[in-house]
Amino acid sequence: MFYDVIVIGAGLAGLMAAEAAQSQGARVLVLARGMGSLPLTTGCIDGLGYFPRTTNIPLSSPLSALPQLKEDQPYHPYAIVGQEKIMLAMAHFQELGQVIGLPYSGTFASTLLIPTPLGTYHPTCLVPETMNQGNLSIPGPVLLLGFRGLKDFSPFLAAENLNILHSQGKIASSFRAEVLEKLDLGGKAMNGLNLARAFDGEDFRNAFIKIVRPLLKSGDRLALPAVLGFHSPGQVLADLKKKLQANVFEIPMPPPSVPGIRLFRKLQIYLQEKGVRIILGFSTLDPRKESKRLLGFALGFSKKSPIYKASAIVLATGKFVGGGLDSDRGRIFETLLDLPIKYPKNRREWFKPRLLAAEGQPFNCFGVEVNENLQPVDPEGRVIYSNLFAAGAIIAHGDSMSEKSGGGIAISTGYLAGQLAAGFAGKNKFTTKNTEMGLKPKDENAK
Amino acid sequence: MKSDIDQCIKCSICNAYCPVLKATGLFPGPKLAGPDAERFRLEGKNIPAEWLEFCDYCKICERVCPHNVPIPELHVRSRLTLGKTQKPSFRDWLLGHAYLLEKLGSWGAPLSNWINGWAFFRWLLDRGLGIDRRAKMPSFHHQTFAQWFHSRKLVKGKPLAYFYGCYTNYIEPSLGRSVVEILEKNGFQVFLPQQECCGLPLISNGFFTLAARMGEKNLKALQKTVEDGVEIVFSSPSCGMTLSQEYKDILHLPGASAVAENLYEISQFLLQLHEDGQLKTDFREIKETYYYHVPCHLRALQVGLPALELLSLIPGLKVMELPEGCCGLAGTYGLKREKYAVAREVGEEIFQVIRQWNVQKVISDCEACRMQIGSQTGVQTFHPAQILRQAYGE
Amino acid sequence: MKTEVVVIGGGATGAGVLRDLALRGIDAVLLEKEELTSGTSGRNHGLLHSGARYAVNDPDSARECLAENKILKKIASPCIEPTGGFFLALPQDPPDYADDLLRACASLDLPAAEVSPAEVLQKEPALSPKINRAIYVPDASIDPFRLIRANVEEAERLGAQFFPHRRVVAIFTADGTIHGLQAIDAKTGEEFRITCRFIINAAGVWAGRVARMAGAPLDILFSKGSLVVLNRRLVNSVINRCRPPSNGDILVPHGPALIIGTTSQTVTEIEDPSPEEEEVDLLLSEGETILPEVSSTRAIRAYAGVRPLMGAREAGEDSRKISRDFLLLDHGEADQIKGLFSIVGGKLTTYRLMAERTVDVIVKAMGRKTSCTTAEKPLPFPEEYTFHDLGSKLRKIGLPQSFQETGEILCECELVSRGEIVQEIRNQPYPSLKEIQERTRAGMGPCQGGFCSPRLTALLSEGGKIPPGTSLPILKRFLEERWKGTRPVMWGPQLREEQLIQALYTELFNLDHF
């Protein structure tokens, strides 16, 4: 099967690359081993929370720090993509959000702080509408509601710590907590996804409202863990707001994250409607290549594994969690194409003595080196495969964990890589002749 | 059997996509029942598998795991150990030996179909055996697919073996006919190797020894085929998955790998033909919209989505993808009284989308999916081969 | 506060002594500068020796181990998994050692029995097929955390008192006799005094420091030993190399995990010991020789403990030694400080015997005539505690109905239910994340507390067991402790795990900027 662009990886970077390539008219295939890493993310898009990484004061405007970032860290993905394209990519993401029914508000030019289940705050840029009212600069009281049996959300713990921040003048909202006992989920286990699905149903919402209304005081906002609907969060939000006569918002949760899964699902359906083929859930990919060009991938190592070919490839496989990188006792390596990775020889230098070191963990900066066109390069700076582009966390430099820039990096590099790949494919189409090259299976003993 | 739970990083993505976990609180989820519990299971010791009763073996957990933790294998191992001490019920014996029931049903058709449609009989089955009376029973054909095949003239061509499976043989022989005719049009001489039930219902219901015996018989016949240099196609993803994966990973039958190398899902095979420029593409126009449901066991085969690629060759045909998920029937699972409602809840999201999008026709490679979706929503269901056959016309 | 005996040090020795004193009706207080098992007792191999390991070179030690092995199996069976053990020889091991071992065990009436390598391989198929000799011994796996706490709990029930987070800062004498001491509450800074006639210094590696507070010289030598924890147990028996004791000799299944140990390195630094990369590599390569799967099994943690050994002066004075590796020093005789006794050395397996000998001496000095009953009375353990039977954890929570009973599972790696944790929090006067972890195993699995620590912290906070506003520092400290243990094994799947956990605490919770 033959495509213009193959994207490896179904995380936010991969999906953005697929969408960007598709909207340039390319025939796109997305290949991913699992369901991407969106279920592990908050559902918000972080721009740049802290700069420099060691400060504890969040940036008020990520955009304003870009010039300095570019100077200090010229290899940072943001420095490579450049301010103009970052802004275009973020705007495009927001348009996309509108189209798929998951509008995101906010801007890369400004940080907002949202609460976390531990009662800390998280600096971010774009939030889904279900989290809008959680902006901690909104003054006034909030009722934090937990659900008995929902183990990752203790409203009391969150309220206690958030109120400490409030008393220190760091946030404008104040909190109190309640727990709802034993809501009937129709025999289903109490977990975030099941709760979110339950909220999609109007009967459940009405029962919920009946219990909650007496708990709300005038002027309260209502905060829930991130369970405000699975299929139709907008509808759930509007309905609750109307019937409770109060603003409602949800708080991001540990994985599996409902807002992350919502975003994945809606992007997936959107892309499929646009004709992007998405194949998920295989174990291995066998790259097929010529000396300076990738030809495609077989879905396994046997002679009957289907082979997918493309003019351009986008590598968006993530770091260790995503599976793009792996390690053994002596080395760090890129798992699909064995691209060169720079890392300290002594494994003790892969991490810092403290987990929560403000300067971040060295392993979060490992990855593939790229040039200004997001093409992976070797230590001498030479492009390795002419038709290969990289997007997202697989790119080296830029500790998105410490500086809070994961979503922004994924969107901006994904968008750019997708466009570049589509452009490359447009100018360098495969012919039938060259698709026959290099397509013998690795195991020559097969037949 | 080594369990590679070391790869599990506790991300819970398997739980997020497990269709049973979203349908009932009686299943603790693949993470807990799989890699979490595995560290506490000792070889040879009695380990509770009541947990696993509600696992429908869709293998979605393995497919969504970012690091290939073989969760279904852990479940089956646990079931296997439990099977040594606990005897399956008579109901499970019956459903496990589905091939016998189907044989009987076919032999007794159309009387058997009439009895099956008799409400009192279904009530008896429900109360007496725990086979839910609401579950749709298939209709049996008196003339089996194999009988039809052997009654016609031999068509010459390049030899190709067809593992048709019990469902095609006794219940949907027209599907088998479509497959044969497509292959013959493309220059193949189809032949049917000696075959037993693939054994999946036996495995799901705990009859591993018998499944292994039948597997050995199947492998013997298929090995001969492979030795003769002939490839094998199948049209039921569940049969195909059992032959190419379960035989090796669960039943440890010798020679399974060699056969698996030559086993092709029918759409995969035809698509490969097309890639080699050898598929006849003189399709008639079909100006219709169909919706495609990806069967769990097709995904487990890891052959991509060949039916979609293939159907895109038919002019005028529009095939939209339904959002992925498990339909819930899971072979004999959804027939069981204690599981019928769970099975329906599992597939509910798909059924809802079908209703919302006003879907009329659904394509799916798996017979169980066709049965479940058809009976729960009333839409017409098709195997991709049937559409292709239609497009070939005459 | 006034009491008869103050015991300093909340390790195995101190806990055992407290229990023995309490059973004999003697008023006693135990002071521990951090929490129970914060010292060497919380960093050992979890091995209940049969004694075979010492049979050849140290028969006295072996005899003691054998006797205590039987006694502990009687009084503390819930915290002992009777795995049995093997001494296994490979072609590269000295061929005579197996015979020496058998002979030595026979002369001690230690039930060691030779079995064929084929038999062992059938029982433990993961072992190396190169094994050429195999000897079965009654080794077992023991949970030191619970064992030590059971001792303290029983003592408290009988009227003894235990205070964690109390650091002794001064010891008072009058006319060459112990008169009392002063301690600081490490959490509040509050000082308090205890008047007492006897002080038992069971402070482990800090025993020298404590003795010097009373003006008594005590020379302790430090030997650091490192151990690696694997994600899966791979075997169900204790595995010993059949050769003269050396590094990386022993593999002990401990709950669902496997602990490979140990090394020994003389050190001068005793605070916060941590394994070196080379030690981890050495342990894995030694382990791999006898159990090939070791190299391909995920390591989830590595830790080190410091063994306090008696110094030169003490080693020379045979008369003072109760046994070769355990010294009870009566400072009244040695240094004219009556009432102060220091205990140095010993091993977990013989803790009860050490305590018995120590309390016998105290009792004699008091002029009383009570005898030890610690070998007969069983120790208290909660019903849900299942260390002795790994599979029972699954059986207990394996039924769908039990979810309602036990409440949800909070530590999914180690299958610890909310009910268990709430029970522990309720029962203890000083609950903490470390206490919950060491009592229930929550946080000891592959994710090393990554997902369960916030849940546990929430329970502590909601239960009013920690002062308001302390939940985040407490959580962070716990996470850093867990991180310390994973640092030495951070590669492969564990590196991936740690990246996910670190992402959780930075990307979602932003704890690195708080």
Side-chain angles (χ1 to χ4, degrees):
Chain A
M1 282 123 292
F2 187 58
Y3 293 86
D4 295 316
V5 177
I6 291 180
V7 177
I8 314 282
L12 188 54
L15 295 179
M16 287 302 291
E19 197 276 332
Q22 170 280 129
S23 59
Q24 303 263 309
R27 256 197 89 216
V28 182
L29 166 69
V30 176
L31 291 175
R33 189 157 55 181
M35 303 300 272
S37 56
L38 276 167
L40 305 175
T41 64
T42 58
C44 304
I45 306 298
D46 296 347
L48 186 64
Y50 294 95
F51 181 78
R53 294 207 289 261
T54 45
T55 174
N56 276 345
I57 303 178
L59 272 182
S60 59
S61 165
L63 183 61
S64 66
L66 285 185
Q68 190 63 45
L69 177 71
K70 193 178 168 104
E71 214 185 284
D72 292 349
Q73 298 172 49
Y75 298 106
H76 191 287
Y78 278 158
I80 296 178
V81 175
Q83 180 170 318
E84 197 191 318
K85 296 210 184 95
I86 294 174
M87 296 309 283
L88 275 172
M90 301 298 272
H92 184 77
F93 174 80
Q94 285 181 281
E95 279 162 27
L96 195 55
Q98 288 286 347
V99 169
I100 64 177
L102 278 184
Y104 273 72
S105 51
T107 149
F108 194 80
S110 153
T111 296
L112 59 115
L113 302 180
I114 54 168
T116 75
L118 278 183
T120 56
Y121 59 69
H122 178 91
T124 190
C125 282
L126 305 184
V127 291
E129 63 178 336
T130 45
M131 294 192 196
N132 234 335
Q133 285 294 311
N135 187 337
L136 289 170
S137 64
I138 302 175
V142 178
L143 172 60
L144 267 178
L145 209 55
F147 295 87
R148 181 69 65 205
L150 191 65
K151 44 191 168 183
D152 286 318
F153 191 73
S154 162
F156 301 102
L157 183 65
E160 182 183 296
N161 288 323
L162 285 165
N163 283 334
I164 291 174
L165 291 174
H166 176 76
S167 67
Q168 292 168 342
K170 292 187 178 158
I171 61 175
S173 324
S174 61
F175 296 81
R176 69 179 199 290
E178 294 273 359
V179 159
L180 288 191
E181 300 291 333
K182 293 295 175 199
L183 272 175
D184 180 21
L185 285 182
K188 294 168 199 177
M190 169 60 80
N191 63 44
L193 279 162
N194 287 346
L195 246 187
R197 287 198 175 92
F199 268 102
D200 280 332
E202 194 172 358
D203 291 339
F204 178 83
R205 285 201 299 273
N206 290 338
F208 168 78
I209 286 165
K210 213 161 157 205
I211 307 173
V212 170
R213 202 182 268 122
L215 300 172
L216 278 173
K217 303 196 183 114
S218 120
D220 272 351
R221 272 174 289 155
L222 176 64
L224 299 180
V227 294
L228 282 180
F230 182 69
H231 293 287
S232 343
Q235 214 175 351
V236 172
L237 183 69
D239 192 36
L240 288 178
K241 180 176 168 163
K242 189 172 99 186
K243 292 180 182 161
L244 287 171
Q245 295 284 297
N247 279 318
V248 183
F249 65 92
E250 61 184 5
I251 293 179
M253 293 281 282
S257 153
V258 170
I261 296 175
R262 279 183 206 137
L263 180 58
F264 175 75
R265 195 185 149 88
K266 295 220 186 290
L267 280 174
Q268 185 190 17
I269 293 175
Y270 173 80
L271 287 171
Q272 279 170 341
E273 276 167 17
K274 290 281 173 183
V276 172
R277 178 79 67 232
I278 302 180
I279 295 181
L280 306 173
F282 50 80
S283 314
T284 50
L285 279 183
D286 177 17
R288 300 294 168 86
K289 46 193 155 160
E290 288 186 312
S291 62
K292 292 239 104 204
R293 184 172 66 165
L294 277 176
L295 295 166
F297 300 90
L299 222 63
F301 291 99
S302 92
K303 72 167 197 305
K304 59 171 201 165
S305 299
I307 300 175
Y308 300 93
K309 302 151 241 166
S311 308
I313 316 281
V314 177
L315 186 70
T317 47
K319 280 197 225 294
F320 300 98
V321 171
L325 295 178
D326 204 347
S327 62
D328 59 32
R329 258 187 271 175
R331 61 180 187 127
I332 308 281
F333 54 94
E334 186 271 317
T335 55
L336 187 59
L337 301 165
D338 206 16
L339 298 172
I341 307 285
K342 279 202 203 115
Y343 59 92
K345 287 285 161 251
N346 186 346
R347 65 178 193 253
R348 211 194 223 129
E349 293 168 51
W350 298 352
F351 49 84
K352 286 264 181 274
R354 288 180 59 242
L355 167 71
L356 298 170
E359 62 271 30
Q361 300 295 332
F363 59 67
N364 279 328
C365 284
F366 293 165
V368 161
E369 307 287 332
V370 297
N371 64 14
E372 70 275 10
N373 287 320
L374 295 181
Q375 292 172 295
V377 294
D378 66 13
E380 281 78 53
R382 290 178 301 226
V383 170
I384 301 172
Y385 296 106
S386 60
N387 62 343
L388 177 67
F389 303 85
I394 186 64
I395 301 176
H397 311 293
D399 181 349
S400 62
M401 301 301 164
S402 169
E403 69 193 18
K404 321 300 172 207
S405 58
I409 290 179
I411 290 173
S412 53
T413 56
Y415 184 67
L416 180 59
Q419 288 183 324
L420 289 171
F424 184 93
K427 296 194 212 104
N428 300 276
K429 279 215 173 289
F430 264 142
T431 62
T432 333
K433 190 155 171 278
N434 43 8
T435 56
E436 281 163 8
M437 293 190 283
L439 292 177
K440 293 200 236 6
K442 257 193 187 157
D443 179 16
E444 290 292 334
N445 297 328
K447 241 193 188 161
Chain B
M1 278 192 272
K2 210 167 40 160
S3 59
D4 206 359
I5 55 171
D6 285 348
Q7 300 305 319
C8 176
I9 54 171
K10 313 289 167 166
C11 68
S12 304
I13 289 181
C14 54
N15 277 352
Y17 288 97
C18 171
V20 178
L21 187 54
K22 79 170 200 284
T24 174
L26 293 174
F27 181 55
K31 176 174 177 283
L32 208 52
D36 286 345
E38 189 65 18
R39 293 170 76 235
F40 293 84
R41 291 186 180 123
L42 299 177
E43 284 297 328
K45 285 203 176 186
N46 185 9
I47 323 139
E50 287 93 347
W51 265 1
L52 301 172
E53 238 202 86
F54 281 88
C55 166
D56 74 358
Y57 211 53
C58 64
K59 297 198 172 187
I60 285 181
C61 46
E62 190 178 39
R63 300 277 60 80
V64 302
C65 174
H67 299 287
N68 292 328
V69 177
I71 306 170
E73 202 182 297
L74 303 176
H75 289 180
V76 167
R77 280 218 298 142
S78 190
R79 270 220 186 107
L80 230 159
T81 317
L82 187 76
K84 292 189 180 141
T85 54
Q86 263 186 37
K87 295 249 98 140
S89 65
F90 179 58
R91 191 271 312 269
D92 289 348
W93 186 93
L94 273 181
L95 292 176
H97 290 71
Y99 70 98
L100 285 177
L101 296 178
E102 286 162 1
K103 207 175 203 164
L104 187 64
S106 162
W107 179 82
L111 182 66
S112 52
N113 293 330
W114 183 81
I115 293 176
N116 247 343
W118 190 23
F120 180 63
F121 178 68
R122 291 303 305 273
W123 182 87
L124 269 180
L125 281 186
D126 188 309
R127 293 283 120 182
L129 287 176
I131 295 176
D132 202 290
R133 72 186 100 159
R134 296 165 290 181
K136 176 152 197 283
M137 284 295 183
S139 287
F140 300 101
H141 277 250
H142 189 69
Q143 187 197 38
T144 66
F145 163 73
Q147 284 167 352
W148 167 83
F149 183 83
H150 291 300
S151 73
R152 57 203 281 279
K153 233 171 39 185
L154 182 67
V155 171
K156 292 242 171 230
K158 180 164 185 249
L160 183 67
Y162 177 30
F163 190 95
Y164 45 88
C166 302
Y167 191 90
T168 305
N169 198 28
Y170 300 113
I171 297 163
E172 203 176 13
S174 64
L175 168 59
R177 272 207 291 280
S178 297
V179 170
V180 167
E181 286 168 4
I182 292 172
L183 291 171
E184 286 173 349
K185 175 165 174 107
N186 282 285
F188 287 96
Q189 175 179 338
V190 180
F191 85 94
L192 309 181
Q194 187 80 346
Q195 51 198 264
E196 312 278 337
C197 170
C198 68
L200 188 59
L202 288 166
I203 294 174
S204 327
N205 285 287
F207 297 92
F208 296 96
T209 325
L210 182 55
R213 271 216 303 273
M214 304 191 87
E216 274 160 18
K217 284 203 199 126
N218 278 327
L219 280 181
K220 198 154 161 223
L222 296 174
Q223 257 151 18
K224 175 109 200 353
T225 311
V226 169
E227 276 158 28
D228 292 341
V230 176
E231 288 172 326
I232 311 149
V233 293
F234 56 86
S235 54
S236 159
S238 296
C239 292
M241 179 197 79
T242 309
L243 295 172
S244 53
Q245 292 176 6
E246 313 302 281
Y247 278 11
K248 180 168 55 107
D249 300 328
I250 307 298
L251 300 176
H252 302 300
L253 301 177
S257 302
V259 167
E261 269 294 293
N262 294 281
L263 210 43
Y264 293 79
E265 196 272 333
I266 183 67
S267 299
Q268 175 194 15
F269 184 79
L270 294 172
L271 189 61
Q272 189 108 304
L273 269 187
H274 177 63
E275 300 270 288
D276 297 338
Q278 306 201 325
L279 182 74
K280 294 229 162 37
T281 51
D282 52 333
F283 296 116
R284 288 212 191 129
E285 196 188 38
I286 298 183
K287 245 194 166 134
E288 306 238 24
T289 302
Y290 287 82
Y291 287 80
Y292 179 66
H293 166 77
V294 185
C296 295
H297 288 170
L298 179 75
R299 214 188 283 287
L301 284 168
Q302 297 186 53
V303 291
L305 298 171
L308 282 177
E309 309 288 344
L310 213 51
L311 293 170
S312 69
L313 299 171
I314 299 175
L317 184 67
K318 196 156 177 249
V319 182
M320 312 288 290
E321 281 181 70
L322 286 170
E324 90 255 315
C326 178
C327 71
L329 184 59
T332 57
Y333 180 98
L335 301 174
K336 302 179 182 178
R337 173 139 65 95
E338 72 280 13
K339 301 195 171 81
Y340 176 81
V342 174
R344 195 175 50 192
E345 184 62 29
V346 165
E348 187 56 33
E349 233 164 58
I350 296 173
F351 310 147
Q352 259 183 32
V353 166
I354 288 177
R355 288 178 213 123
Q356 268 166 21
W357 294 1
N358 232 325
V359 169
Q360 307 292 320
K361 302 184 198 217
V362 170
I363 301 175
S364 190
D365 323 66
C366 169
E367 62 270 17
C369 298
R370 292 196 297 275
M371 249 180 30
Q372 176 82 330
I373 291 175
S375 70
Q376 297 289 349
T377 63
V379 301
Q380 282 183 286
T381 60
F382 306 87
H383 185 285
Q386 290 169 320
I387 310 297
L388 274 165
R389 175 65 190 86
Q390 193 195 332
Y392 274 139
E394 140 275 349
Chain C
M1 195 187 305
K2 195 171 192 297
T3 189
E4 294 188 80
V5 183
V6 174
V7 183
I8 302 176
T13 316
V17 166
L18 189 74
R19 178 188 183 225
D20 201 333
L21 288 168
L23 277 168
R24 301 198 211 194
I26 298 169
D27 226 11
V29 168
L30 174 65
L31 298 179
E32 157 57 49
K33 69 174 170 65
E34 289 179 45
E35 293 175 282
L36 288 173
T37 65
S38 293
T40 314
S41 294
R43 292 154 179 266
N44 59 48
H45 214 149
L47 173 57
L48 184 64
H49 283 282
S50 57
R53 187 172 172 81
Y54 306 102
V56 174
N57 292 332
D58 191 349
D60 293 327
S61 234
R63 212 171 275 123
E64 284 170 1
C65 285
L66 177 62
E68 289 302 306
N69 182 303
K70 291 198 192 113
I71 290 170
L72 285 178
K73 280 176 179 164
K74 206 174 49 164
I75 65 168
S77 59
C79 74
I80 297 171
E81 188 185 344
T83 55
F86 291 100
F87 275 77
L88 301 169
L90 292 171
Q92 59 262 48
D93 297 326
D96 303 327
Y97 194 79
D99 298 309
D100 292 344
L101 181 61
L102 282 166
R103 252 196 309 274
C105 287
S107 70
L108 296 165
D109 279 325
L110 205 160
E114 176 143 25
V115 295
S116 72
E119 260 182 86
V120 184
L121 284 168
Q122 202 183 44
K123 182 166 199 278
E124 301 288 1
L127 288 169
S128 165
K130 300 203 182 115
I131 293 168
N132 56 20
R133 296 287 295 274
I135 299 171
Y136 174 85
V137 293
D139 279 344
S141 169
I142 189 167
D143 175 3
F145 304 110
R146 207 77 219 215
L147 173 69
I148 288 163
R149 283 163 174 81
N151 276 269
V152 173
E153 266 162 37
E154 186 174 18
E156 286 181 298
R157 271 185 227 169
L158 294 164
Q161 295 179 81
F162 161 62
F163 300 101
H165 302 293
R166 302 296 196 275
R167 198 162 36 91
V168 174
V169 293
I171 295 181
F172 307 121
T173 55
D175 301 321
T177 313
I178 290 292
H179 162 63
L181 55 74
Q182 177 162 327
I184 279 193
D185 182 333
K187 294 214 156 137
T188 63
E190 220 185 294
E191 289 180 350
F192 65 95
R193 294 190 176 207
I194 307 183
T195 315
C196 62
R197 277 199 303 141
F198 295 92
I199 292 179
I200 298 178
N201 174 14
V205 287
W206 298 275
R209 211 178 285 176
V210 170
R212 275 189 288 284
M213 285 182 210
L218 182 60
D219 209 12
I220 312 273
L221 291 178
F222 308 118
S223 164
K224 183 181 101 171
S226 295
L227 303 107
V228 179
V229 183
L230 298 190
N231 189 30
R232 298 177 278 132
R233 51 159 53 185
L234 302 179
V235 288
N236 294 318
S237 323
V238 175
I239 305 296
N240 298 275
R241 277 296 278 284
C242 191
R243 63 182 184 190
S246 166
N247 287 332
D249 262 359
I250 316 181
L251 297 82
V252 180
H254 184 87
L258 183 72
I259 305 184
I260 305 178
T262 160
T263 55
S264 70
Q265 199 190 18
T266 314
V267 292
T268 47
E269 179 56 57
I270 57 173
E271 301 296 340
D272 221 9
S274 186
E276 308 291 321
E277 258 77 42
E278 300 75 38
E279 288 179 275
V280 172
D281 290 340
L282 174 74
L283 289 170
L284 291 175
S285 71
E286 285 296 324
E288 186 188 5
T289 330
I290 190 89
L291 188 53
E293 270 184 64
V294 162
S295 56
S296 56
T297 303
R298 172 171 164 181
I300 59 176
R301 187 172 188 81
Y303 58 96
V306 180
R307 305 175 191 85
L309 304 173
M310 52 197 114
R313 171 178 86 133
E314 292 71 17
E317 309 225 34
D318 272 286
S319 55
R320 314 227 174 274
K321 281 186 283 153
I322 306 300
S323 92
R324 182 98 47 101
D325 65 354
F326 164 54
L327 167 70
L328 174 61
L329 194 54
D330 179 350
H331 292 281
E333 289 182 29
D335 309 297
Q336 279 73 56
I337 300 172
K338 283 209 195 53
L340 177 65
F341 297 82
S342 289
I343 318 173
V344 185
K347 51 177 74 62
L348 180 70
T349 301
T350 51
Y351 90 95
R352 189 215 62 83
L353 179 64
M354 286 154 50
E356 175 177 343
R357 301 270 166 84
T358 305
V359 178
D360 280 345
V361 168
I362 301 286
V363 154
K364 191 153 166 239
M366 286 177 168
R368 300 228 200 128
K369 269 184 162 45
T370 62
S371 47
C372 177
T373 54
T374 58
E376 282 87 58
K377 301 210 74 225
L379 283 161
F381 293 96
E383 241 194 82
E384 310 80 48
Y385 178 64
T386 57
F387 188 83
H388 58 283
D389 179 6
L390 189 66
S392 67
K393 185 116 230 185
L394 266 190
R395 252 174 267 129
K396 283 207 158 94
I397 56 176
L399 301 165
Q401 304 86 279
S402 11
F403 288 143
Q404 272 79 341
E405 286 157 23
T406 56
E408 63 268 26
I409 310 283
L410 291 191
C411 168
E412 292 164 36
C413 292
E414 296 285 330
L415 306 182
V416 186
S417 68
R418 169 188 278 268
E420 268 182 84
I421 293 174
V422 167
Q423 185 89 302
E424 288 299 337
I425 292 179
R426 217 176 275 154
N427 290 346
Q428 293 165 60
Y430 312 103
S432 67
L433 289 175
K434 181 173 147 79
E435 280 298 313
I436 296 173
Q437 175 206 317
E438 294 187 351
R439 284 165 185 273
T440 64
R441 283 194 63 85
M444 292 201 190
C447 87
Q448 288 290 291
F451 287 101
C452 66
S453 339
R455 300 170 186 162
L456 303 182
T457 308
L459 281 182
L460 278 176
S461 165
E462 286 171 23
K465 298 289 189 169
I466 53 178
T470 57
S471 57
L472 292 182
I474 284 175
L475 175 61
K476 286 163 81 173
R477 211 173 306 132
F478 184 72
L479 291 172
E480 295 296 352
E481 268 308 307
R482 300 274 91 207
W483 177 259
K484 245 189 267 171
T486 39
R487 278 181 340 212
V489 295
M490 205 161 329
W491 68 80
Q494 199 59 29
L495 173 54
R496 208 182 298 141
E497 180 77 71
E498 294 304 319
Q499 196 204 4
L500 178 62
I501 301 303
Q502 198 257 0
L504 180 67
Y505 290 100
T506 54
E507 204 180 34
L508 170 61
F509 292 128
N510 195 19
L511 272 187
D512 55 333
H513 291 278
F514 260 81

